[in-house]
Amino acid sequence: MKPVICIEMLYTELQLEEKLKAISQAGFSRIEFWDWKDKDLALLYSSCQQYNLKVANFSGQRQGSLIARKTHQEIFSDLEEAVKVAETLYCPYLMLLTDQLGEGGIVENSYQELSPEEKYYNIISGLEKAIRLTPDSITVILETLNTKIDHPGYYLDNIETAVKIVREIKHPRLKILADLYHLGVMGFDLKQIIKKHLAEIGYFHIADIPGRHEPGTGSIDWQDILQFIKERGYQGFVGFEYSPANDSTESLIKIKNLWQSIFPKQQQ
């Protein structure tokens, strides 16, 4: 298992290079982010080189909804560009959403004129082409989000539908991005998800509940959860995608201590 720090909600007062430097100085070597088009990619690349950081994951789409076939070409155009960026950064994962999110994470159009069945099969056809558009070096990860607090109207708010989609397409480079914060908000038993569906999961996201802050600020025993994941043989990435409760550096220290309690000899 390897920890990844999502840079988006950390050090909001700092510019990109200073933010990456601070994450590196906190002892981490892998990052992820959301949008690639709002980043100075040359600066991102040079800063990662300077501070020995690797990019593990970022969003493969900015526009379009998988649930609506008429918007698929927008996704594919974004994805083709994202693939080029990912190859430059040696990034192995690109995440996709079922719906296009706008300001504040709000679903821009839930396409209520489409039936749940239509939305489901539009997702299937869209993902099948998305996989064909990505090289063997990149795995597509489909993210679950919550509809109770952060993203009302989002289609994929449950693990069962995500598992059904991945099993139906049955491609080794399509996995679930299991965001345990979002799934926890939806009331799912996190250990049961891990126990039953680890084969379909290719990436984890973590933030505490409530508040979406760093582990240790809410009600979840993340040491227990991470140990549970480790014991089941998962060797992939765990992304810490959260908003610091107070100080960004303090939050990273908490995460480092948590990780070292499970992997005392592993470099972050």
Side-chain angles (χ1 to χ4, degrees), residues 61 63-77 98 100 109 111:
Q61 79 193 90
Q63 304 179 87
S65 296
L66 284 168
I67 60 172
R69 188 184 293 267
K70 66 182 181 180
T71 71
H72 281 186
Q73 190 52 52
E74 297 174 31
I75 298 174
F76 302 149
S77 296
T98 58
Q100 182 174 333
N109 189 339
Y111 296 95

Side-chain angles (χ1 to χ4, degrees), residues 1-40:
M1 292 166 61
K2 307 170 188 68
V4 182
I5 302 299
C6 181
I7 71 173
E8 298 292 351
M9 294 181 277
L10 295 178
Y11 297 107
T12 55
E13 75 281 7
L14 298 182
Q15 296 298 314
L16 178 62
E17 182 179 358
E18 287 74 24
K19 182 182 292 196
L20 297 180
K21 179 180 179 180
I23 292 170
S24 176
Q25 288 179 333
F28 294 92
S29 62
R30 294 175 182 83
I31 62 165
E32 61 175 55
F33 53 88
W34 298 337
D35 193 350
W36 79 94
K37 287 199 174 182
D38 65 358
K39 307 286 187 299
D40 181 330

Side-chain angles (χ1 to χ4, degrees), residues 3-164:
V4 182
I5 302 299
C6 181
I7 71 173
E8 298 292 351
M9 294 181 277
L10 295 178
Y11 297 107
T12 55
E13 75 281 7
L14 298 182
Q15 296 298 314
L16 178 62
E17 182 179 358
E18 287 74 24
K19 182 182 292 196
L20 297 180
K21 179 180 179 180
I23 292 170
S24 176
Q25 288 179 333
F28 294 92
S29 62
R30 294 175 182 83
I31 62 165
E32 61 175 55
F33 53 88
W34 298 337
D35 193 350
W36 79 94
K37 287 199 174 182
D38 65 358
K39 307 286 187 299
D40 181 330
L41 293 175
L43 179 61
L44 175 66
Y45 181 81
S46 63
S47 297
C48 284
Q49 293 289 308
Q50 182 176 355
Y51 301 118
N52 295 313
L53 294 169
K54 296 179 180 178
V55 177
N57 174 37
F58 65 90
S59 178
Q61 79 193 90
R62 299 176 73 250
Q63 304 179 87
S65 296
L66 284 168
I67 60 172
R69 188 184 293 267
K70 66 182 181 180
T71 71
H72 281 186
Q73 190 52 52
E74 297 174 31
I75 298 174
F76 302 149
S77 296
D78 277 349
L79 186 59
E80 288 179 321
E81 186 174 344
V83 164
K84 295 175 183 177
V85 175
E87 290 180 321
T88 299
L89 296 171
Y90 302 100
C91 174
Y93 290 92
L94 288 174
M95 55 186 170
L96 294 180
L97 302 174
T98 58
D99 302 73
Q100 182 174 333
L101 304 182
E103 191 70 27
I106 302 301
V107 173
E108 293 202 339
N109 189 339
S110 59
Y111 296 95
Q112 294 181 358
E113 71 274 14
L114 300 176
S115 69
E117 292 76 19
E118 288 176 296
K119 292 178 180 179
Y120 177 84
Y121 286 108
N122 287 342
I123 292 169
I124 295 293
S125 64
L127 286 174
E128 287 176 337
K129 181 164 183 180
I131 293 167
R132 293 195 297 270
L133 290 173
T134 56
D136 291 343
S137 59
I138 294 175
T139 297
V140 174
I141 45 178
L142 183 65
E143 186 167 17
T144 54
L145 302 179
N146 82 77
T147 52
K148 289 185 177 181
I149 298 175
D150 299 285
H151 308 287
Y154 186 75
Y155 176 87
L156 195 64
D157 65 355
N158 69 89
I159 192 66
E160 288 87 359
T161 302
V163 169
K164 183 180 177 183

Side-chain angles (χ1 to χ4, degrees), residues 131-258:
I131 293 167
R132 293 195 297 270
L133 290 173
T134 56
D136 291 343
S137 59
I138 294 175
T139 297
V140 174
I141 45 178
L142 183 65
E143 186 167 17
T144 54
L145 302 179
N146 82 77
T147 52
K148 289 185 177 181
I149 298 175
D150 299 285
H151 308 287
Y154 186 75
Y155 176 87
L156 195 64
D157 65 355
N158 69 89
I159 192 66
E160 288 87 359
T161 302
V163 169
K164 183 180 177 183
I165 289 168
V166 168
R167 287 180 176 174
E168 181 162 340
I169 294 176
K170 201 176 181 179
H171 194 286
R173 289 192 294 103
L174 175 65
K175 296 289 183 179
I176 298 167
L177 197 176
D179 191 310
L180 298 183
Y181 160 74
H182 288 298
L183 291 167
V185 167
M186 294 305 297
F188 287 95
D189 184 314
L190 301 185
K191 281 192 172 181
Q192 282 300 310
I193 288 173
I194 297 158
K195 183 177 180 180
K196 292 173 60 178
H197 302 306
L198 194 59
E200 289 80 29
I201 294 171
Y203 204 106
F204 285 101
H205 269 169
I206 283 178
D208 218 333
I209 304 169
R212 203 180 182 183
H213 301 309
E214 66 269 20
T217 58
S219 61
I220 306 299
D221 185 344
W222 289 108
Q223 184 175 29
D224 184 48
I225 294 292
L226 289 169
Q227 185 67 36
F228 193 76
I229 296 172
K230 174 188 175 183
E231 289 171 354
R232 269 137 194 84
Y234 178 75
Q235 297 181 351
F237 294 121
V238 176
F240 291 87
E241 184 193 41
Y242 67 95
S243 172
N246 293 297
D247 179 71
S248 291
T249 297
E250 180 183 320
S251 74
L252 290 174
I253 291 171
K254 289 180 180 178
I255 292 171
K256 186 174 182 179
N257 289 340
L258 169 64

